[in-house]
Amino acid sequence: MKLTDNVLRSFRVAKVFRENSDKINCFDFSPNGETVISSSDDDSIVLYDCQEGKPKRTLYSKKYGVDLIRYTHAANTVVYSSNKIDDTIRYLSLHDNKYIRYFPGHTKRVVALSMSPVDDTFISGSLDKTIRLWDLRSPNCQGLMHLQGKPVCSFDPEGLIFAAGVNSEMVKLYDLRSFDKGPFATFKMQYDRTCEWTGLKFSNDGKLILISTNGGFIRLIDAFKGAVLHTFGGYNNSKAVTLEASFTPDSQFIMIGSEDGKIHVWNGESGMKVAVLDGKHTGPITCLQFNPKFMTFASACSNMVRNWALSSSE
């Protein structure tokens, strides 16, 4: 089924999960779309089965905490950042709940983590104003970039380049094979002192970059020229919360949750808002992602995950 304005408007909450006692800070769908994994401020990692619509198992990272959880290419391994004790990134086997490797180096909290879509490379950005490049097979940092401010970063869908958003005012594009030579393109944006950038994502077709902020707007830019195509607003975020914005897998639509628990959806080409979905969330929707393979998406506020599917009338 193709995603259209009407199809998006007909999504309803199919399932609500209340596995957590504290805020869910991140979740990630497996590449095959069959599972979704969440990390929470209650130090738990919950694995959900998307096809059966139920939690499969819960693991804990009580000593170090857990944040920014990401699947690797192996279905049963993840990497995540710590939010207690230290700022080391951990590589965990879900199968036997054992750490495979640690990635030390950052000296302040990790605020961005992105796995290459094609190999074992990943990048991390930290409040220590660095971006580090890693390989899952080695504990040693493969590359280090010093920046002027807090970074957000992400790989493109081909895994050939990555983008770094710096100081909430510029996007720098790096070639993975020669990133030490500096960025091959820099796009300077109009600086908005009312908010800061909190996330950066490429569309699946690699043509667009979505910049999320802790203000009341998100920006869609051309990944080749850096031109701002649309600025989407009209949703509530008065408390400057980090809200996750996402593309649909076909790169056509952009969605973000709001602090009043509603999800706003825009058409990326026309820039028009096509839907406002009410999931009856009790607080800000901090996590929001579309399943890469199936016609469902998930949203999370505070300590609840909601799984959305097409309503049966469609």
Side-chain angles (χ1 to χ4, degrees):
M1 184 189 266
K2 195 170 176 292
L3 278 176
T4 63
D5 297 5
N6 279 337
V7 168
L8 276 160
R9 282 194 280 268
S10 64
F11 272 85
R12 300 288 180 268
V13 176
K15 205 99 181 189
V16 180
F17 302 105
R18 296 180 172 84
E19 311 307 307
N20 295 94
S21 59
D22 205 338
K23 178 182 158 237
I24 293 157
N25 51 42
C26 185
F27 55 55
D28 194 35
F29 280 99
S30 60
N32 63 11
E34 290 173 9
T35 59
V36 64
I37 195 158
S38 70
S39 56
S40 164
D41 288 355
D42 63 12
D43 307 332
S44 73
I45 296 167
V46 183
L47 184 66
Y48 299 90
D49 185 312
C50 293
Q51 288 160 314
E52 293 185 17
K54 61 185 188 191
K56 277 170 76 161
R57 59 187 300 212
T58 302
L59 309 171
Y60 290 94
S61 178
K62 287 201 178 295
K63 186 175 177 185
Y64 304 105
V66 54
D67 197 0
L68 297 178
I69 198 156
R70 303 277 184 259
Y71 272 106
T72 68
H73 298 289
N76 57 355
T77 62
V78 291
V79 289
Y80 63 83
S81 63
S82 318
N83 52 15
K84 295 199 293 199
I85 298 191
D86 64 15
D87 302 290
T88 297
I89 296 163
R90 290 176 166 78
Y91 179 21
L92 177 71
S93 164
L94 301 172
H95 167 66
D96 50 10
N97 195 18
K98 286 196 168 70
Y99 290 116
I100 302 168
R101 199 159 282 119
Y102 303 95
F103 304 96
H106 283 300
T107 56
K108 286 189 176 165
R109 199 171 127 230
V110 174
V111 290
L113 195 58
S114 177
M115 193 77 214
S116 162
V118 296
D119 60 22
D120 284 338
T121 314
F122 68 97
I123 48 174
S124 58
S126 159
L127 294 179
D128 63 16
K129 300 181 184 173
T130 65
I131 288 177
R132 287 175 180 263
L133 184 66
W134 309 88
D135 187 304
L136 283 175
R137 294 162 295 194
S138 164
N140 304 322
C141 173
Q142 307 290 304
L144 174 62
M145 274 159 288
H146 291 276
L147 307 166
Q148 260 69 59
K150 173 188 166 183
V152 289
C153 54
S154 184
F155 275 99
D156 83 316
E158 310 271 283
L160 297 173
I161 67 168
F162 62 89
V166 189
N167 272 4
S168 300
E169 61 177 344
M170 64 183 82
V171 175
K172 294 173 182 278
L173 299 183
Y174 295 86
D175 186 312
L176 201 59
R177 293 155 299 192
S178 57
F179 68 89
D180 48 334
K181 295 188 173 74
F184 65 84
T186 299
F187 309 138
K188 201 156 180 353
M189 310 276 145
Q190 195 178 346
Y191 181 61
D192 188 317
R193 54 187 78 237
T194 62
C195 63
E196 63 176 21
W197 295 0
T198 53
L200 184 149
K201 286 183 184 178
F202 278 89
S203 57
N204 273 347
D205 62 10
K207 295 176 181 174
L208 306 166
I209 294 174
L210 181 61
I211 297 168
S212 36
T213 73
N214 62 358
F217 68 91
I218 51 179
R219 278 208 180 105
L220 188 66
I221 69 169
D222 183 301
F224 302 105
K225 303 189 185 97
V228 176
L229 303 173
H230 296 292
T231 299
F232 303 116
Y235 59 91
N236 296 348
N237 190 14
S238 63
K239 297 187 181 77
V241 177
T242 297
L243 304 169
E244 182 176 22
S246 288
F247 287 101
T248 50
D250 61 5
S251 308
Q252 303 300 309
F253 297 93
I254 288 94
M255 17 189 355
I256 192 169
S258 61
E259 70 181 4
D260 60 7
K262 292 185 171 65
I263 293 169
H264 297 250
V265 187
W266 294 268
N267 182 306
E269 202 171 341
S270 69
M272 301 297 289
K273 189 175 283 190
V274 297
V276 179
L277 304 169
D278 189 359
K280 305 286 189 288
H281 276 286
T282 52
I285 297 175
T286 48
C287 304
L288 178 67
Q289 278 180 37
F290 218 97
N291 189 310
K293 300 291 183 199
F294 301 106
M295 202 58 106
T296 61
F297 68 89
S299 59
C301 73
S302 54
N303 56 353
M304 279 182 277
V305 177
R306 280 164 165 72
N307 184 45
W308 296 71
L310 284 171
S311 65
S312 51
S313 59
E314 284 302 304

mmCIF file of all heavy atoms in Angstrom, residues 9 25 44-45 48-49 65-66 79 85 93 113 146 162 170 182 203 214 227 230 241-242 253-254 266 286 309:
data_model
loop_
_atom_site.group_PDB
_atom_site.id
_atom_site.type_symbol
_atom_site.label_atom_id
_atom_site.label_comp_id
_atom_site.label_asym_id
_atom_site.label_seq_id
_atom_site.Cartn_x
_atom_site.Cartn_y
_atom_site.Cartn_z
ATOM 1 N N ARG A 9 -3.956 9.913 7.469
ATOM 2 C CA ARG A 9 -5.011 10.409 8.373
ATOM 3 C C ARG A 9 -5.766 9.265 9.048
ATOM 4 O O ARG A 9 -6.428 9.469 10.067
ATOM 5 C CB ARG A 9 -5.995 11.288 7.594
ATOM 6 C CG ARG A 9 -5.462 12.693 7.338
ATOM 7 C CD ARG A 9 -6.557 13.641 6.874
ATOM 8 N NE ARG A 9 -6.844 13.492 5.470
ATOM 9 C CZ ARG A 9 -6.260 14.202 4.487
ATOM 10 N NH1 ARG A 9 -5.353 15.110 4.796
ATOM 11 N NH2 ARG A 9 -6.586 14.008 3.239
ATOM 12 N N ASN A 25 13.663 7.325 26.529
ATOM 13 C CA ASN A 25 14.507 8.358 25.922
ATOM 14 C C ASN A 25 14.826 8.089 24.456
ATOM 15 O O ASN A 25 15.294 8.973 23.736
ATOM 16 C CB ASN A 25 15.792 8.568 26.740
ATOM 17 C CG ASN A 25 16.515 7.260 27.033
ATOM 18 O OD1 ASN A 25 16.629 6.401 26.170
ATOM 19 N ND2 ASN A 25 17.012 7.114 28.262
ATOM 20 N N SER A 44 16.200 0.535 31.766
ATOM 21 C CA SER A 44 15.782 -0.705 31.123
ATOM 22 C C SER A 44 15.867 -0.611 29.600
ATOM 23 O O SER A 44 15.775 0.464 29.010
ATOM 24 C CB SER A 44 14.359 -1.074 31.535
ATOM 25 O OG SER A 44 13.441 -0.210 30.896
ATOM 26 N N ILE A 45 16.053 -1.769 28.976
ATOM 27 C CA ILE A 45 16.040 -1.947 27.528
ATOM 28 C C ILE A 45 14.908 -2.939 27.258
ATOM 29 O O ILE A 45 14.946 -4.065 27.748
ATOM 30 C CB ILE A 45 17.381 -2.531 27.043
ATOM 31 C CG1 ILE A 45 18.524 -1.544 27.308
ATOM 32 C CG2 ILE A 45 17.309 -2.908 25.571
ATOM 33 C CD1 ILE A 45 19.922 -2.146 27.154
ATOM 34 N N TYR A 48 10.472 -5.254 21.738
ATOM 35 C CA TYR A 48 9.083 -5.525 21.373
ATOM 36 C C TYR A 48 9.019 -6.274 20.044
ATOM 37 O O TYR A 48 9.789 -5.986 19.130
ATOM 38 C CB TYR A 48 8.302 -4.221 21.196
ATOM 39 C CG TYR A 48 8.224 -3.357 22.431
ATOM 40 C CD1 TYR A 48 9.194 -2.382 22.685
ATOM 41 C CD2 TYR A 48 7.170 -3.492 23.339
ATOM 42 C CE1 TYR A 48 9.117 -1.577 23.810
ATOM 43 C CE2 TYR A 48 7.094 -2.691 24.466
ATOM 44 C CZ TYR A 48 8.071 -1.737 24.703
ATOM 45 O OH TYR A 48 8.000 -0.944 25.817
ATOM 46 N N ASP A 49 8.084 -7.200 19.952
ATOM 47 C CA ASP A 49 7.824 -7.902 18.706
ATOM 48 C C ASP A 49 6.759 -7.112 17.934
ATOM 49 O O ASP A 49 5.628 -6.977 18.404
ATOM 50 C CB ASP A 49 7.321 -9.322 19.023
ATOM 51 C CG ASP A 49 7.150 -10.163 17.777
ATOM 52 O OD1 ASP A 49 6.543 -9.680 16.809
ATOM 53 O OD2 ASP A 49 7.616 -11.316 17.775
ATOM 54 N N GLY A 65 23.240 3.191 33.091
ATOM 55 C CA GLY A 65 22.088 3.809 32.438
ATOM 56 C C GLY A 65 22.124 3.509 30.947
ATOM 57 O O GLY A 65 23.071 2.900 30.445
ATOM 58 N N VAL A 66 21.088 3.924 30.240
ATOM 59 C CA VAL A 66 21.016 3.631 28.806
ATOM 60 C C VAL A 66 20.263 4.744 28.070
ATOM 61 O O VAL A 66 19.245 5.239 28.539
ATOM 62 C CB VAL A 66 20.375 2.237 28.562
ATOM 63 C CG1 VAL A 66 19.014 2.128 29.259
ATOM 64 C CG2 VAL A 66 20.243 1.921 27.088
ATOM 65 N N VAL A 79 24.060 -0.879 20.012
ATOM 66 C CA VAL A 79 24.991 0.028 20.684
ATOM 67 C C VAL A 79 24.156 1.084 21.402
ATOM 68 O O VAL A 79 23.045 1.409 20.960
ATOM 69 C CB VAL A 79 25.998 0.713 19.717
ATOM 70 C CG1 VAL A 79 27.010 -0.269 19.193
ATOM 71 C CG2 VAL A 79 25.292 1.419 18.572
ATOM 72 N N ILE A 85 27.539 7.552 35.415
ATOM 73 C CA ILE A 85 28.950 7.177 35.660
ATOM 74 C C ILE A 85 29.920 7.707 34.609
ATOM 75 O O ILE A 85 30.772 8.514 34.906
ATOM 76 C CB ILE A 85 29.140 5.655 35.834
ATOM 77 C CG1 ILE A 85 28.341 5.185 37.055
ATOM 78 C CG2 ILE A 85 30.620 5.318 36.024
ATOM 79 C CD1 ILE A 85 28.657 3.769 37.493
ATOM 80 N N SER A 93 25.237 -7.644 23.246
ATOM 81 C CA SER A 93 24.545 -8.772 22.622
ATOM 82 C C SER A 93 23.244 -9.007 23.389
ATOM 83 O O SER A 93 23.266 -9.298 24.588
ATOM 84 C CB SER A 93 25.420 -10.021 22.681
ATOM 85 O OG SER A 93 24.627 -11.156 22.415
ATOM 86 N N LEU A 113 24.029 9.608 18.053
ATOM 87 C CA LEU A 113 24.611 8.301 17.739
ATOM 88 C C LEU A 113 23.947 7.803 16.470
ATOM 89 O O LEU A 113 22.725 7.751 16.398
ATOM 90 C CB LEU A 113 24.341 7.344 18.906
ATOM 91 C CG LEU A 113 25.119 6.039 19.014
ATOM 92 C CD1 LEU A 113 26.621 6.282 19.071
ATOM 93 C CD2 LEU A 113 24.681 5.266 20.258
ATOM 94 N N HIS A 146 37.025 17.926 16.055
ATOM 95 C CA HIS A 146 36.749 18.931 17.087
ATOM 96 C C HIS A 146 35.875 20.018 16.472
ATOM 97 O O HIS A 146 36.192 20.552 15.412
ATOM 98 C CB HIS A 146 38.057 19.523 17.618
ATOM 99 C CG HIS A 146 38.859 18.546 18.415
ATOM 100 N ND1 HIS A 146 38.629 18.311 19.751
ATOM 101 C CD2 HIS A 146 39.865 17.714 18.045
ATOM 102 C CE1 HIS A 146 39.474 17.383 20.178
ATOM 103 N NE2 HIS A 146 40.231 17.003 19.163
ATOM 104 N N PHE A 162 28.524 11.485 5.876
ATOM 105 C CA PHE A 162 27.712 11.797 7.043
ATOM 106 C C PHE A 162 27.608 13.306 7.178
ATOM 107 O O PHE A 162 28.443 14.065 6.671
ATOM 108 C CB PHE A 162 28.249 11.141 8.321
ATOM 109 C CG PHE A 162 29.618 11.562 8.742
ATOM 110 C CD1 PHE A 162 29.803 12.654 9.578
ATOM 111 C CD2 PHE A 162 30.738 10.841 8.344
ATOM 112 C CE1 PHE A 162 31.071 13.035 9.990
ATOM 113 C CE2 PHE A 162 32.009 11.211 8.749
ATOM 114 C CZ PHE A 162 32.176 12.312 9.573
ATOM 115 N N MET A 170 24.948 25.509 11.178
ATOM 116 C CA MET A 170 25.496 25.048 9.902
ATOM 117 C C MET A 170 25.516 23.528 9.815
ATOM 118 O O MET A 170 25.627 22.832 10.818
ATOM 119 C CB MET A 170 26.877 25.635 9.637
ATOM 120 C CG MET A 170 27.956 25.238 10.579
ATOM 121 S SD MET A 170 29.499 26.088 10.151
ATOM 122 C CE MET A 170 29.235 27.669 10.925
ATOM 123 N N GLY A 182 38.401 17.388 6.084
ATOM 124 C CA GLY A 182 37.385 18.407 6.372
ATOM 125 C C GLY A 182 36.150 18.205 5.512
ATOM 126 O O GLY A 182 36.109 17.323 4.651
ATOM 127 N N SER A 203 16.594 11.610 4.543
ATOM 128 C CA SER A 203 15.491 10.803 4.005
ATOM 129 C C SER A 203 16.088 9.552 3.370
ATOM 130 O O SER A 203 17.267 9.518 3.015
ATOM 131 C CB SER A 203 14.704 11.611 2.967
ATOM 132 O OG SER A 203 15.574 12.044 1.928
ATOM 133 N N ASN A 214 14.627 22.172 19.492
ATOM 134 C CA ASN A 214 13.828 22.144 20.723
ATOM 135 C C ASN A 214 12.909 23.359 20.786
ATOM 136 O O ASN A 214 12.420 23.740 21.839
ATOM 137 C CB ASN A 214 14.713 22.033 21.972
ATOM 138 C CG ASN A 214 15.637 23.229 22.135
ATOM 139 O OD1 ASN A 214 15.650 24.145 21.304
ATOM 140 N ND2 ASN A 214 16.406 23.235 23.207
ATOM 141 N N ALA A 227 19.699 24.297 0.482
ATOM 142 C CA ALA A 227 18.599 25.277 0.512
ATOM 143 C C ALA A 227 17.496 24.780 1.446
ATOM 144 O O ALA A 227 17.175 23.590 1.467
ATOM 145 C CB ALA A 227 18.050 25.469 -0.888
ATOM 146 N N HIS A 230 11.447 23.779 3.316
ATOM 147 C CA HIS A 230 10.257 24.100 4.116
ATOM 148 C C HIS A 230 10.651 24.257 5.579
ATOM 149 O O HIS A 230 11.588 23.603 6.050
ATOM 150 C CB HIS A 230 9.205 22.980 4.034
ATOM 151 C CG HIS A 230 8.638 22.774 2.675
ATOM 152 N ND1 HIS A 230 7.834 23.695 2.042
ATOM 153 C CD2 HIS A 230 8.773 21.734 1.813
ATOM 154 C CE1 HIS A 230 7.497 23.237 0.845
ATOM 155 N NE2 HIS A 230 8.058 22.049 0.678
ATOM 156 N N VAL A 241 11.394 21.003 24.784
ATOM 157 C CA VAL A 241 11.675 19.570 24.908
ATOM 158 C C VAL A 241 12.318 19.074 23.610
ATOM 159 O O VAL A 241 12.057 19.610 22.534
ATOM 160 C CB VAL A 241 10.352 18.802 25.169
ATOM 161 C CG1 VAL A 241 10.580 17.302 25.245
ATOM 162 C CG2 VAL A 241 9.700 19.299 26.456
ATOM 163 N N THR A 242 13.164 18.057 23.717
ATOM 164 C CA THR A 242 13.715 17.418 22.512
ATOM 165 C C THR A 242 12.676 16.451 21.967
ATOM 166 O O THR A 242 12.395 15.424 22.566
ATOM 167 C CB THR A 242 15.011 16.659 22.862
ATOM 168 O OG1 THR A 242 15.981 17.605 23.318
ATOM 169 C CG2 THR A 242 15.569 15.936 21.646
ATOM 170 N N PHE A 253 6.752 12.043 3.503
ATOM 171 C CA PHE A 253 6.088 12.757 4.603
ATOM 172 C C PHE A 253 7.033 12.923 5.789
ATOM 173 O O PHE A 253 7.953 12.134 5.981
ATOM 174 C CB PHE A 253 4.832 11.994 5.055
ATOM 175 C CG PHE A 253 3.789 11.881 3.987
ATOM 176 C CD1 PHE A 253 3.753 10.770 3.148
ATOM 177 C CD2 PHE A 253 2.840 12.878 3.805
ATOM 178 C CE1 PHE A 253 2.800 10.659 2.147
ATOM 179 C CE2 PHE A 253 1.883 12.779 2.802
ATOM 180 C CZ PHE A 253 1.860 11.662 1.965
ATOM 181 N N ILE A 254 6.757 13.968 6.566
ATOM 182 C CA ILE A 254 7.560 14.290 7.751
ATOM 183 C C ILE A 254 6.610 14.347 8.935
ATOM 184 O O ILE A 254 5.521 14.926 8.839
ATOM 185 C CB ILE A 254 8.283 15.646 7.563
ATOM 186 C CG1 ILE A 254 9.430 15.509 6.552
ATOM 187 C CG2 ILE A 254 8.845 16.182 8.872
ATOM 188 C CD1 ILE A 254 9.024 15.873 5.162
ATOM 189 N N TRP A 266 3.315 16.367 7.733
ATOM 190 C CA TRP A 266 3.347 17.261 6.570
ATOM 191 C C TRP A 266 3.755 16.506 5.314
ATOM 192 O O TRP A 266 4.507 15.523 5.389
ATOM 193 C CB TRP A 266 4.367 18.395 6.767
ATOM 194 C CG TRP A 266 4.060 19.354 7.847
ATOM 195 C CD1 TRP A 266 3.368 20.530 7.750
ATOM 196 C CD2 TRP A 266 4.464 19.268 9.223
ATOM 197 N NE1 TRP A 266 3.308 21.159 8.979
ATOM 198 C CE2 TRP A 266 3.976 20.403 9.900
ATOM 199 C CE3 TRP A 266 5.187 18.312 9.944
ATOM 200 C CZ2 TRP A 266 4.190 20.627 11.247
ATOM 201 C CZ3 TRP A 266 5.406 18.527 11.296
ATOM 202 C CH2 TRP A 266 4.907 19.674 11.938
ATOM 203 N N THR A 286 8.313 12.323 22.814
ATOM 204 C CA THR A 286 9.753 12.534 22.628
ATOM 205 C C THR A 286 10.355 11.591 21.595
ATOM 206 O O THR A 286 11.415 11.874 21.046
ATOM 207 C CB THR A 286 10.485 12.362 23.969
ATOM 208 O OG1 THR A 286 10.029 11.152 24.578
ATOM 209 C CG2 THR A 286 10.202 13.526 24.905
ATOM 210 N N ALA A 309 -1.346 1.721 13.828
ATOM 211 C CA ALA A 309 -1.593 0.957 12.611
ATOM 212 C C ALA A 309 -2.779 1.571 11.879
ATOM 213 O O ALA A 309 -3.488 2.426 12.437
ATOM 214 C CB ALA A 309 -1.891 -0.500 12.966
#
